Each structure stands twice: as C-alpha cells, then as structure tokens.
Coordinates of all heavy atoms in Angstrom, one line a residue:
M1030 N 0.8 -1.2 0.0 CA 0.0 0.0 0.0 C 0.9 1.2 0.0 O 1.9 1.3 0.7 CB -0.9 0.0 1.3 CG -2.0 0.9 1.2 SD -3.4 -0.1 0.7 CE -4.6 1.2 0.5
E1031 N 0.5 2.2 -0.8 CA 1.4 3.4 -0.9 C 1.5 4.1 0.5 O 0.6 4.4 1.2 CB 0.9 4.4 -1.9 CG 1.8 5.5 -2.2 CD 1.4 6.3 -3.5 OE1 1.1 5.6 -4.5 OE2 1.4 7.5 -3.4
E1032 N 2.8 4.4 0.8 CA 3.1 5.1 2.0 C 4.3 6.0 1.7 O 5.3 5.5 1.2 CB 3.5 4.1 3.1 CG 3.9 4.8 4.4 CD 4.3 3.7 5.5 OE1 3.6 2.7 5.7 OE2 5.4 3.9 6.0
D1033 N 4.2 7.3 2.0 CA 5.3 8.3 1.7 C 5.7 8.2 0.3 O 6.8 8.2 -0.1 CB 6.5 8.0 2.6 CG 6.2 8.2 4.1 OD1 5.4 9.1 4.4 OD2 6.8 7.5 4.9
W1034 N 4.7 8.1 -0.6 CA 4.8 8.0 -2.1 C 5.5 6.8 -2.6 O 5.7 6.6 -3.8 CB 5.6 9.3 -2.6 CG 4.9 10.5 -2.3 CD1 3.9 11.1 -2.9 CD2 5.2 11.4 -1.2 NE1 3.5 12.2 -2.4 CE2 4.3 12.5 -1.3 CE3 6.1 11.4 -0.2 CZ2 4.3 13.5 -0.4 CZ3 6.1 12.5 0.7 CH2 5.2 13.5 0.6
V1035 N 5.8 5.8 -1.7 CA 6.4 4.5 -2.1 C 5.2 3.6 -2.5 O 4.3 3.5 -1.6 CB 7.2 3.9 -1.0 CG1 7.7 2.5 -1.5 CG2 8.4 4.8 -0.6
D1036 N 5.2 3.0 -3.6 CA 4.0 2.2 -4.0 C 3.8 1.0 -3.0 O 2.7 0.8 -2.5 CB 4.2 1.6 -5.4 CG 4.0 2.7 -6.5 OD1 3.4 3.7 -6.2 OD2 4.4 2.4 -7.6
I1037 N 4.9 0.3 -2.7 CA 4.8 -0.8 -1.8 C 6.1 -0.8 -1.0 O 7.2 -0.8 -1.5 CB 4.7 -2.2 -2.5 CG1 3.4 -2.2 -3.3 CG2 4.7 -3.3 -1.4 CD1 3.3 -3.4 -4.2
K1038 N 6.0 -0.9 0.3 CA 7.2 -1.0 1.2 C 7.0 -2.2 2.0 O 6.0 -2.4 2.7 CB 7.3 0.2 2.1 CG 8.6 0.2 3.0 CD 8.9 1.5 3.7 CE 8.0 1.8 4.8 NZ 8.4 3.0 5.6
V1039 N 8.0 -3.1 2.0 CA 8.0 -4.4 2.7 C 9.0 -4.4 3.8 O 10.2 -4.1 3.5 CB 8.2 -5.6 1.7 CG1 8.2 -6.9 2.5 CG2 7.2 -5.6 0.6
D1040 N 8.6 -4.6 5.0 CA 9.5 -4.6 6.2 C 9.8 -6.0 6.5 O 9.0 -6.8 6.9 CB 8.8 -3.9 7.4 CG 9.7 -3.8 8.6 OD1 10.6 -4.5 8.7 OD2 9.4 -2.9 9.4
L1041 N 11.1 -6.4 6.3 CA 11.6 -7.7 6.5 C 12.2 -7.9 7.9 O 12.8 -8.9 8.2 CB 12.6 -8.2 5.4 CG 12.0 -8.2 4.0 CD1 13.1 -8.5 3.0 CD2 10.9 -9.2 3.9
G1042 N 12.1 -6.9 8.7 CA 12.7 -6.9 10.1 C 14.1 -6.3 10.1 O 14.3 -5.3 10.6
D1043 N 15.0 -7.0 9.4 CA 16.4 -6.5 9.3 C 16.7 -5.7 8.1 O 17.7 -5.1 7.9 CB 17.3 -7.7 9.4 CG 17.2 -8.6 8.3 OD1 16.2 -8.6 7.6 OD2 18.2 -9.4 8.1
S1044 N 15.7 -5.5 7.2 CA 15.9 -4.7 5.9 C 14.5 -4.3 5.4 O 13.5 -4.8 5.9 CB 16.6 -5.5 4.9 OG 15.9 -6.7 4.5
L1045 N 14.5 -3.5 4.4 CA 13.3 -3.0 3.7 C 13.4 -3.2 2.2 O 14.5 -3.2 1.7 CB 13.1 -1.5 4.0 CG 12.9 -1.0 5.4 CD1 13.0 0.5 5.4 CD2 11.6 -1.5 5.9
I1046 N 12.3 -3.4 1.6 CA 12.2 -3.4 0.1 C 11.2 -2.4 -0.3 O 10.1 -2.3 0.2 CB 11.7 -4.8 -0.4 CG1 12.6 -5.9 0.1 CG2 11.7 -4.8 -2.0 CD1 12.1 -7.3 -0.3
F1047 N 11.7 -1.5 -1.2 CA 10.8 -0.5 -1.8 C 10.5 -0.9 -3.2 O 11.4 -1.1 -4.0 CB 11.5 0.9 -1.8 CG 11.8 1.5 -0.5 CD1 12.9 2.2 -0.2 CD2 10.8 1.5 0.5 CE1 13.2 2.8 1.0 CE2 11.0 2.1 1.7 CZ 12.2 2.7 2.0
Y1048 N 9.2 -1.0 -3.5 CA 8.7 -1.4 -4.9 C 8.1 -0.1 -5.5 O 7.3 0.5 -4.9 CB 7.7 -2.5 -4.8 CG 8.2 -3.8 -4.4 CD1 8.2 -4.2 -3.0 CD2 8.7 -4.7 -5.3 CE1 8.7 -5.4 -2.7 CE2 9.2 -6.0 -4.9 CZ 9.1 -6.3 -3.6 OH 9.6 -7.6 -3.2
E1049 N 8.5 0.1 -6.8 CA 7.8 1.1 -7.6 C 7.2 0.4 -8.8 O 7.9 -0.3 -9.6 CB 8.9 2.2 -8.1 CG 8.3 3.2 -8.9 CD 7.2 4.1 -8.2 OE1 7.3 4.2 -7.0 OE2 6.4 4.6 -8.9
V1050 N 5.9 0.5 -8.9 CA 5.2 -0.2 -9.9 C 4.9 0.7 -11.1 O 4.5 1.8 -10.9 CB 3.8 -0.7 -9.4 CG1 3.0 -1.5 -10.5 CG2 4.0 -1.6 -8.2
K1051 N 5.3 0.2 -12.3 CA 5.2 1.0 -13.5 C 4.3 0.3 -14.5 O 4.3 -0.9 -14.6 CB 6.6 1.3 -14.1 CG 7.4 2.2 -13.3 CD 6.7 3.6 -13.2 CE 7.4 4.5 -12.2 NZ 6.5 5.7 -12.0
P1052 N 3.6 1.0 -15.4 CA 2.6 0.4 -16.3 C 3.1 0.2 -17.7 O 2.4 -0.4 -18.5 CB 1.5 1.5 -16.4 CG 2.2 2.8 -16.3 CD 3.4 2.5 -15.3
F1053 N 4.3 0.5 -18.0 CA 4.8 0.5 -19.4 C 5.1 -0.9 -19.9 O 5.6 -1.7 -19.1 CB 6.1 1.4 -19.5 CG 5.9 2.8 -19.0 CD1 6.6 3.2 -17.8 CD2 5.0 3.6 -19.6 CE1 6.4 4.4 -17.3 CE2 4.8 4.9 -19.1 CZ 5.5 5.3 -17.9
H1054 N 4.8 -1.1 -21.1 CA 5.0 -2.4 -21.7 C 6.5 -2.8 -21.8 O 6.9 -3.9 -21.6 CB 4.4 -2.5 -23.1 CG 4.6 -3.8 -23.8 ND1 4.0 -5.0 -23.5 CD2 5.4 -4.1 -24.9 CE1 4.5 -5.9 -24.3 NE2 5.3 -5.4 -25.1
L1055 N 7.3 -1.8 -22.1 CA 8.8 -2.1 -22.3 C 9.5 -2.0 -20.9 O 9.3 -1.1 -20.1 CB 9.4 -1.1 -23.2 CG 9.0 -1.1 -24.7 CD1 9.6 0.0 -25.5 CD2 9.2 -2.5 -25.3
V1056 N 10.2 -3.1 -20.6 CA 11.0 -3.1 -19.3 C 11.9 -1.9 -19.2 O 11.9 -1.2 -18.1 CB 11.8 -4.4 -19.3 CG1 12.8 -4.4 -18.1 CG2 10.9 -5.6 -19.2
E1057 N 12.6 -1.5 -20.3 CA 13.5 -0.3 -20.2 C 12.7 0.9 -19.9 O 13.2 1.8 -19.1 CB 14.1 -0.1 -21.6 CG 15.1 1.0 -21.7 CD 15.8 1.1 -23.0 OE1 15.8 0.1 -23.8 OE2 16.3 2.2 -23.3
D1058 N 11.5 1.1 -20.3 CA 10.7 2.3 -20.0 C 10.3 2.3 -18.5 O 10.3 3.3 -17.8 CB 9.4 2.4 -20.8 CG 9.7 2.7 -22.3 OD1 10.9 3.2 -22.6 OD2 8.8 2.5 -23.1
C1059 N 10.0 1.1 -18.0 CA 9.7 1.0 -16.5 C 10.9 1.4 -15.7 O 10.8 2.1 -14.7 CB 9.2 -0.4 -16.2 SG 7.7 -0.9 -16.9
I1060 N 12.0 0.9 -16.1 CA 13.3 1.2 -15.4 C 13.6 2.7 -15.5 O 13.9 3.3 -14.5 CB 14.4 0.3 -15.8 CG1 14.2 -1.2 -15.4 CG2 15.8 0.8 -15.3 CD1 15.1 -2.2 -16.0
R1061 N 13.5 3.2 -16.7 CA 13.9 4.6 -16.9 C 13.0 5.5 -16.1 O 13.4 6.5 -15.4 CB 13.7 5.0 -18.4 CG 14.1 6.4 -18.7 CD 13.8 6.8 -20.1 NE 14.7 6.0 -21.1 CZ 14.2 5.2 -22.0 NH1 12.9 5.0 -22.1 NH2 15.0 4.5 -22.7
D1062 N 11.7 5.2 -16.0 CA 10.8 6.1 -15.3 C 10.8 5.9 -13.8 O 10.6 6.8 -13.0 CB 9.3 5.8 -15.8 CG 8.4 6.8 -15.4 OD1 8.5 8.0 -15.8 OD2 7.4 6.5 -14.6
G1063 N 11.1 4.7 -13.3 CA 11.0 4.4 -11.9 C 12.3 4.4 -11.1 O 12.3 4.5 -9.9
L1064 N 13.5 4.3 -11.8 CA 14.8 4.2 -11.1 C 15.0 5.4 -10.2 O 15.4 5.3 -9.0 CB 15.9 4.0 -12.1 CG 17.2 3.6 -11.4 CD1 17.2 2.4 -10.6 CD2 18.3 3.5 -12.5
A1065 N 14.9 6.6 -10.7 CA 15.1 7.8 -9.9 C 14.2 7.8 -8.7 O 14.6 8.2 -7.6 CB 14.9 9.1 -10.7
Q1066 N 12.9 7.4 -8.9 CA 12.0 7.4 -7.8 C 12.5 6.5 -6.6 O 12.5 6.9 -5.5 CB 10.6 6.9 -8.2 CG 9.9 8.0 -9.0 CD 8.6 7.5 -9.5 OE1 8.5 6.9 -10.6 NE2 7.5 7.7 -8.7
V1067 N 12.8 5.2 -6.9 CA 13.2 4.3 -5.9 C 14.5 4.8 -5.2 O 14.7 4.6 -4.0 CB 13.3 2.8 -6.3 CG1 11.9 2.3 -6.6 CG2 14.3 2.6 -7.5
V1068 N 15.4 5.4 -6.0 CA 16.7 5.9 -5.4 C 16.4 7.0 -4.4 O 16.9 7.0 -3.3 CB 17.6 6.4 -6.5 CG1 18.8 7.2 -5.9 CG2 18.2 5.3 -7.4
L1069 N 15.4 7.9 -4.8 CA 15.0 8.9 -3.8 C 14.3 8.4 -2.6 O 14.5 8.9 -1.5 CB 14.2 10.0 -4.5 CG 15.0 10.8 -5.5 CD1 14.0 11.8 -6.3 CD2 16.1 11.7 -4.8
Y1070 N 13.5 7.3 -2.8 CA 12.9 6.7 -1.6 C 13.9 6.2 -0.6 O 13.8 6.4 0.6 CB 12.0 5.5 -2.0 CG 10.9 5.9 -2.9 CD1 10.3 4.9 -3.8 CD2 10.3 7.1 -3.0 CE1 9.3 5.1 -4.6 CE2 9.3 7.4 -3.9 CZ 8.8 6.4 -4.7 OH 7.8 6.7 -5.6
G1071 N 14.9 5.6 -1.1 CA 16.0 5.1 -0.3 C 16.8 6.2 0.4 O 17.1 6.1 1.5
F1072 N 17.0 7.3 -0.4 CA 17.8 8.4 0.1 C 17.0 9.1 1.2 O 17.6 9.5 2.3 CB 18.1 9.4 -1.0 CG 18.8 10.6 -0.6 CD1 20.1 10.6 -0.2 CD2 18.1 11.8 -0.5 CE1 20.8 11.8 0.2 CE2 18.7 13.0 0.0 CZ 20.1 12.9 0.3
Y1073 N 15.8 9.4 1.0 CA 15.0 10.1 2.0 C 14.5 9.3 3.2 O 14.0 9.9 4.2 CB 13.8 10.8 1.3 CG 14.3 12.0 0.5 CD1 14.2 12.1 -0.9 CD2 14.8 13.1 1.2 CE1 14.6 13.2 -1.6 CE2 15.3 14.2 0.4 CZ 15.1 14.2 -0.9 OH 15.6 15.3 -1.6
S1074 N 14.6 8.0 3.1 CA 14.1 7.2 4.2 C 15.0 7.4 5.4 O 16.3 7.3 5.3 CB 14.2 5.7 3.8 OG 13.9 4.9 4.9
E1075 N 14.5 7.7 6.5 CA 15.3 7.9 7.8 C 15.6 6.5 8.4 O 16.5 6.5 9.3 CB 14.5 8.8 8.7 CG 14.3 10.2 8.2 CD 13.6 11.1 9.1 OE1 13.4 10.7 10.3 OE2 13.3 12.2 8.7
D1076 N 15.0 5.5 7.9 CA 15.3 4.1 8.4 C 16.7 3.7 8.0 O 17.0 3.8 6.8 CB 14.3 3.1 7.9 CG 14.3 1.8 8.6 OD1 15.4 1.2 8.8 OD2 13.2 1.4 9.1
K1077 N 17.6 3.3 8.9 CA 19.0 3.0 8.5 C 19.2 1.6 8.1 O 20.3 1.2 7.7 CB 19.9 3.4 9.7 CG 19.9 4.8 10.1 CD 20.2 5.7 8.9 CE 20.1 7.2 9.3 NZ 20.1 8.0 8.1
R1078 N 18.2 0.7 8.1 CA 18.3 -0.7 7.7 C 18.7 -0.7 6.2 O 18.3 0.2 5.4 CB 17.1 -1.4 8.0 CG 16.8 -1.6 9.5 CD 15.5 -2.3 9.7 NE 14.4 -1.5 9.4 CZ 13.1 -1.9 9.5 NH1 12.8 -3.1 9.8 NH2 12.1 -1.0 9.2
P1079 N 19.3 -1.8 5.8 CA 19.6 -2.0 4.3 C 18.3 -2.0 3.6 O 17.3 -2.5 4.0 CB 20.3 -3.4 4.3 CG 20.8 -3.6 5.7 CD 19.9 -2.9 6.6
K1080 N 18.4 -1.5 2.3 CA 17.2 -1.4 1.5 C 17.5 -2.0 0.1 O 18.5 -1.9 -0.4 CB 16.8 0.1 1.3 CG 16.4 0.7 2.6 CD 16.4 2.3 2.5 CE 16.3 2.9 3.8 NZ 17.5 2.8 4.6
K1081 N 16.5 -2.7 -0.4 CA 16.5 -3.2 -1.8 C 15.5 -2.3 -2.5 O 14.4 -2.1 -2.0 CB 16.1 -4.6 -1.8 CG 16.1 -5.2 -3.2 CD 16.0 -6.7 -3.3 CE 16.2 -7.2 -4.7 NZ 16.3 -8.7 -4.7
L1082 N 15.8 -1.9 -3.7 CA 15.0 -1.0 -4.5 C 14.6 -1.8 -5.8 O 15.4 -2.3 -6.5 CB 15.8 0.2 -4.9 CG 16.4 1.0 -3.7 CD1 17.3 2.1 -4.3 CD2 15.4 1.4 -2.7
V1083 N 13.3 -2.0 -6.0 CA 12.8 -2.8 -7.0 C 11.8 -2.1 -7.9 O 10.8 -1.4 -7.4 CB 12.1 -4.1 -6.4 CG1 11.6 -5.0 -7.5 CG2 13.0 -4.8 -5.5
I1084 N 12.0 -2.2 -9.2 CA 11.0 -1.7 -10.2 C 10.1 -2.9 -10.6 O 10.7 -3.9 -10.9 CB 11.7 -1.1 -11.4 CG1 12.7 0.0 -11.1 CG2 10.6 -0.6 -12.4 CD1 12.1 1.2 -10.5
V1085 N 8.8 -2.7 -10.7 CA 7.9 -3.8 -11.1 C 7.2 -3.3 -12.3 O 6.7 -2.1 -12.4 CB 6.9 -4.1 -10.0 CG1 6.0 -5.2 -10.5 CG2 7.6 -4.5 -8.7
G1086 N 7.1 -4.1 -13.4 CA 6.4 -3.8 -14.6 C 5.7 -5.0 -15.1 O 5.8 -6.1 -14.7
P1087 N 4.8 -4.7 -16.1 CA 3.9 -5.8 -16.6 C 4.6 -6.8 -17.6 O 3.9 -7.6 -18.1 CB 2.8 -5.0 -17.3 CG 3.4 -3.8 -17.7 CD 4.5 -3.4 -16.7
S1088 N 5.8 -6.6 -17.9 CA 6.5 -7.5 -18.9 C 7.7 -8.2 -18.2 O 8.4 -7.6 -17.4 CB 7.0 -6.6 -20.1 OG 5.9 -6.0 -20.7
M1089 N 7.8 -9.4 -18.7 CA 9.0 -10.2 -18.2 C 10.2 -9.7 -19.1 O 10.0 -9.4 -20.3 CB 8.8 -11.7 -18.4 CG 7.5 -12.2 -17.7 SD 7.6 -11.9 -15.9 CE 8.9 -12.9 -15.4
P1090 N 11.4 -9.6 -18.5 CA 12.5 -9.2 -19.2 C 13.0 -10.1 -20.3 O 13.0 -11.3 -20.2 CB 13.6 -9.1 -18.1 CG 13.0 -9.3 -16.8 CD 11.7 -9.9 -17.1
L1091 N 13.2 -9.5 -21.5 CA 13.8 -10.2 -22.6 C 15.3 -10.2 -22.4 O 15.9 -9.6 -21.5 CB 13.5 -9.5 -23.9 CG 12.0 -9.4 -24.2 CD1 11.8 -8.5 -25.5 CD2 11.3 -10.7 -24.4
T1092 N 16.1 -10.9 -23.3 CA 17.5 -11.0 -23.2 C 18.2 -9.6 -23.1 O 19.0 -9.4 -22.2 CB 18.1 -11.7 -24.4 OG1 17.5 -13.0 -24.4 CG2 19.6 -11.8 -24.3
E1093 N 17.8 -8.6 -23.9 CA 18.4 -7.3 -23.9 C 18.1 -6.6 -22.6 O 18.8 -5.8 -22.0 CB 18.1 -6.5 -25.1 CG 16.6 -6.3 -25.3 CD 16.0 -7.3 -26.2 OE1 16.6 -8.4 -26.5 OE2 14.9 -7.0 -26.7
D1094 N 16.9 -6.9 -22.1 CA 16.4 -6.3 -20.8 C 17.3 -6.8 -19.6 O 17.7 -6.1 -18.7 CB 15.0 -6.5 -20.5 CG 14.0 -5.9 -21.5 OD1 14.3 -4.8 -22.0 OD2 13.1 -6.6 -21.9
Q1095 N 17.5 -8.1 -19.7 CA 18.3 -8.8 -18.7 C 19.7 -8.2 -18.6 O 20.3 -8.1 -17.6 CB 18.3 -10.3 -18.9 CG 17.0 -10.9 -18.6 CD 16.9 -12.4 -19.0 OE1 17.8 -12.9 -19.7 NE2 15.9 -13.1 -18.6
E1096 N 20.3 -7.9 -19.8 CA 21.6 -7.3 -19.9 C 21.6 -5.9 -19.2 O 22.5 -5.6 -18.5 CB 22.0 -7.2 -21.4 CG 22.3 -8.5 -22.0 CD 22.6 -8.4 -23.5 OE1 22.6 -7.3 -24.1 OE2 22.7 -9.5 -24.1
L1097 N 20.6 -5.1 -19.5 CA 20.5 -3.8 -18.8 C 20.4 -4.0 -17.3 O 21.0 -3.3 -16.5 CB 19.2 -3.1 -19.3 CG 18.9 -1.8 -18.6 CD1 20.0 -0.8 -18.6 CD2 17.6 -1.2 -19.1
I1098 N 19.5 -4.9 -16.8 CA 19.3 -5.2 -15.4 C 20.7 -5.6 -14.8 O 21.0 -5.1 -13.7 CB 18.2 -6.2 -15.2 CG1 16.9 -5.6 -15.6 CG2 18.2 -6.6 -13.7 CD1 15.8 -6.6 -15.8
L1099 N 21.4 -6.5 -15.4 CA 22.7 -7.0 -14.9 C 23.7 -5.8 -14.8 O 24.4 -5.7 -13.9 CB 23.2 -8.1 -15.7 CG 22.5 -9.5 -15.5 CD1 23.0 -10.5 -16.5 CD2 22.6 -10.0 -14.1
Y1100 N 23.7 -5.0 -15.9 CA 24.6 -3.8 -15.9 C 24.3 -2.9 -14.7 O 25.2 -2.5 -14.0 CB 24.4 -3.1 -17.2 CG 25.1 -1.8 -17.2 CD1 26.5 -1.7 -17.5 CD2 24.5 -0.6 -17.0 CE1 27.2 -0.5 -17.5 CE2 25.2 0.6 -17.0 CZ 26.5 0.7 -17.2 OH 27.2 1.8 -17.2
L1101 N 23.0 -2.6 -14.5 CA 22.6 -1.7 -13.4 C 23.0 -2.4 -12.0 O 23.6 -1.7 -11.2 CB 21.1 -1.4 -13.4 CG 20.7 -0.5 -14.6 CD1 19.2 -0.5 -14.7 CD2 21.3 0.9 -14.4
K1102 N 22.7 -3.6 -11.9 CA 23.0 -4.3 -10.6 C 24.5 -4.3 -10.3 O 24.9 -4.2 -9.2 CB 22.4 -5.8 -10.7 CG 20.9 -5.8 -10.6 CD 20.4 -7.2 -10.8 CE 20.6 -8.0 -9.6 NZ 19.5 -8.7 -9.0
S1103 N 25.3 -4.4 -11.4 CA 26.8 -4.5 -11.1 C 27.4 -3.1 -11.0 O 28.5 -3.0 -10.5 CB 27.4 -5.3 -12.3 OG 27.3 -4.6 -13.5
N1104 N 26.7 -2.1 -11.4 CA 27.3 -0.7 -11.4 C 26.7 0.2 -10.3 O 27.2 1.3 -10.1 CB 27.2 -0.1 -12.7 CG 28.2 -0.7 -13.7 OD1 29.4 -0.3 -13.6 ND2 27.7 -1.5 -14.6
L1105 N 25.6 -0.2 -9.8 CA 24.9 0.7 -8.7 C 25.5 0.2 -7.3 O 25.8 -0.9 -7.2 CB 23.4 0.5 -8.8 CG 22.8 1.1 -10.1 CD1 21.3 0.7 -10.1 CD2 23.0 2.5 -10.2
I1106 N 25.5 1.1 -6.4 CA 26.0 0.8 -5.1 C 24.9 0.4 -4.1 O 25.2 0.1 -3.0 CB 26.8 2.0 -4.5 CG1 25.9 3.2 -4.3 CG2 28.0 2.3 -5.3 CD1 26.5 4.3 -3.5
F1107 N 23.7 0.3 -4.6 CA 22.6 -0.2 -3.8 C 22.0 -1.4 -4.5 O 22.2 -1.7 -5.6 CB 21.6 0.9 -3.6 CG 21.1 1.5 -4.9 CD1 20.1 1.0 -5.6 CD2 21.6 2.7 -5.3 CE1 19.7 1.5 -6.8 CE2 21.2 3.3 -6.5 CZ 20.2 2.7 -7.2
D1108 N 21.2 -2.2 -3.7 CA 20.6 -3.4 -4.1 C 19.4 -3.1 -5.0 O 18.4 -2.5 -4.5 CB 20.2 -4.2 -2.9 CG 19.8 -5.7 -3.3 OD1 19.9 -6.0 -4.5 OD2 19.4 -6.4 -2.4
F1109 N 19.5 -3.4 -6.3 CA 18.4 -3.1 -7.3 C 18.0 -4.3 -8.0 O 18.8 -5.2 -8.2 CB 19.0 -2.1 -8.3 CG 18.1 -1.9 -9.5 CD1 17.0 -1.1 -9.5 CD2 18.5 -2.6 -10.7 CE1 16.2 -1.0 -10.6 CE2 17.7 -2.5 -11.8 CZ 16.5 -1.7 -11.8
D1110 N 16.7 -4.3 -8.4 CA 16.2 -5.4 -9.2 C 15.0 -4.9 -10.0 O 14.4 -3.9 -9.7 CB 15.9 -6.6 -8.4 CG 16.1 -7.9 -9.2 OD1 16.3 -7.9 -10.4 OD2 16.1 -9.0 -8.5
Y1111 N 14.6 -5.7 -11.0 CA 13.4 -5.5 -11.8 C 12.6 -6.8 -11.7 O 13.2 -7.9 -11.7 CB 13.7 -5.2 -13.3 CG 12.4 -5.2 -14.1 CD1 11.7 -4.0 -14.2 CD2 11.9 -6.4 -14.7 CE1 10.5 -4.0 -14.9 CE2 10.8 -6.4 -15.4 CZ 10.0 -5.2 -15.5 OH 8.9 -5.2 -16.2
E1112 N 11.3 -6.7 -11.5 CA 10.4 -7.9 -11.4 C 9.3 -7.6 -12.4 O 8.6 -6.6 -12.4 CB 9.9 -8.1 -10.0 CG 10.9 -8.5 -9.0 CD 10.4 -8.8 -7.6 OE1 9.1 -8.9 -7.5 OE2 11.2 -8.8 -6.7
G1113 N 9.1 -8.6 -13.3 CA 8.0 -8.5 -14.2 C 6.8 -9.4 -13.7 O 7.0 -10.4 -13.0
F1114 N 5.7 -9.0 -14.1 CA 4.5 -9.8 -13.7 C 3.6 -9.9 -14.9 O 3.6 -9.0 -15.8 CB 3.8 -9.3 -12.5 CG 3.1 -7.9 -12.8 CD1 1.7 -7.9 -13.2 CD2 3.8 -6.7 -12.6 CE1 1.1 -6.7 -13.4 CE2 3.2 -5.5 -12.9 CZ 1.8 -5.5 -13.3
Q1115 N 2.9 -10.9 -15.0 CA 1.9 -11.1 -16.1 C 0.5 -11.2 -15.5 O 0.3 -12.1 -14.6 CB 2.3 -12.3 -17.0 CG 3.6 -12.1 -17.6 CD 3.8 -12.7 -18.9 OE1 2.9 -13.5 -19.4 NE2 4.8 -12.4 -19.7
V1116 N -0.4 -10.4 -16.0 CA -1.7 -10.4 -15.4 C -2.5 -11.4 -16.2 O -2.6 -11.4 -17.4 CB -2.4 -9.0 -15.6 CG1 -3.8 -9.0 -15.1 CG2 -1.6 -8.0 -14.9
D1117 N -3.2 -12.3 -15.5 CA -4.1 -13.3 -16.1 C -5.4 -12.6 -16.2 O -6.1 -12.3 -15.3 CB -4.2 -14.5 -15.2 CG -5.1 -15.6 -15.8 OD1 -5.5 -15.5 -16.9 OD2 -5.3 -16.6 -15.1
Q1118 N -5.8 -12.5 -17.5 CA -7.0 -11.7 -17.8 C -8.2 -12.6 -17.8 O -9.3 -12.2 -18.2 CB -6.9 -10.9 -19.0 CG -5.7 -9.9 -18.9 CD -5.9 -8.6 -19.6 OE1 -6.9 -8.4 -20.2 NE2 -5.0 -7.7 -19.4
T1119 N -8.1 -13.9 -17.5 CA -9.3 -14.8 -17.5 C -9.9 -14.7 -16.1 O -9.3 -14.8 -15.1 CB -8.9 -16.2 -17.8 OG1 -7.9 -16.7 -16.9 CG2 -8.3 -16.3 -19.2
F1120 N -11.2 -14.5 -16.1 CA -11.9 -14.4 -14.8 C -12.9 -15.5 -14.7 O -13.5 -15.9 -15.6 CB -12.6 -13.0 -14.7 CG -11.7 -11.9 -14.6 CD1 -11.1 -11.3 -15.7 CD2 -11.3 -11.4 -13.4 CE1 -10.2 -10.3 -15.7 CE2 -10.4 -10.4 -13.3 CZ -9.9 -9.8 -14.4

C-alpha cells in the first residue's frame, strides 16, 4: 500500500524493500521512469536498515532487458532489481 509516495514498502525486520510499480510495456521504460523514484525513496528514508529497490512492470525481461538489469545491478552501489508480472485476464 502506498506510504510516503512509495508504491509498496515491505518490512523484513532487518531490511526494507521499496517497490515502484510502472505500467509501461517495455521493461526499459519501466526502469527509466522508476529508477530515480526508488533511489530517492532510499535516500529520504530515515530508516537506517539495508534497502532493496525494485521496479515492477507488466512485462517479463527479454535478453536485452536482462543485460540492462545486470549492468545496473553491477554498477549501482545499492541493491536493485526488476520484477515482471503477467496479469491473467481470465476471470
């Protein structure tokens, strides 16, 4: 549930996960639009526990998307990830 502009914040006891949910079909667009947001959530959080910053979008990463995600994970100094989800539209 959104709190302090964070779409979803998960308290794991010894750490936090901040999720930013994006609607864009392309994984790269989700990351481009959401990365600055999750970085600022981590920066402005007064909680000193370790944080993981996650962008969530409606598409599963393709090979080129996985390369971008791996590049970011290896070059950023904070724990970052992208998670794709697929909505089942059958009711």
Side-chain angles (χ1 to χ4, degrees):
M1030 195 95 188
E1031 189 168 312
E1032 176 183 313
D1033 296 330
W1034 300 280
V1035 178
D1036 287 342
I1037 301 169
K1038 181 167 77 173
V1039 177
D1040 187 335
L1041 299 175
D1043 61 342
S1044 64
L1045 298 169
I1046 304 175
F1047 292 140
Y1048 290 92
E1049 180 62 28
V1050 180
K1051 292 297 174 190
F1053 307 113
H1054 176 70
L1055 295 176
V1056 170
E1057 182 177 337
D1058 290 344
C1059 292
I1060 292 171
R1061 181 183 300 116
D1062 194 62
L1064 189 58
Q1066 286 178 272
V1067 293
V1068 169
L1069 290 174
Y1070 300 155
F1072 176 75
Y1073 285 114
S1074 173
E1075 294 180 10
D1076 194 309
K1077 299 302 179 199
R1078 292 178 286 175
K1080 297 162 191 74
K1081 182 172 187 168
L1082 310 175
V1083 180
I1084 306 293
V1085 179
S1088 298
M1089 301 306 292
L1091 302 173
T1092 302
E1093 57 270 15
D1094 300 319
Q1095 292 170 346
E1096 291 171 4
L1097 171 61
I1098 293 163
L1099 287 173
Y1100 171 81
L1101 291 170
K1102 289 174 75 127
S1103 65
N1104 286 283
L1105 297 173
I1106 61 170
F1107 51 83
D1108 193 0
F1109 165 80
D1110 211 346
Y1111 172 87
E1112 293 183 14
F1114 68 93
Q1115 299 213 345
V1116 178
D1117 181 6
Q1118 301 216 357
T1119 58
F1120 294 86

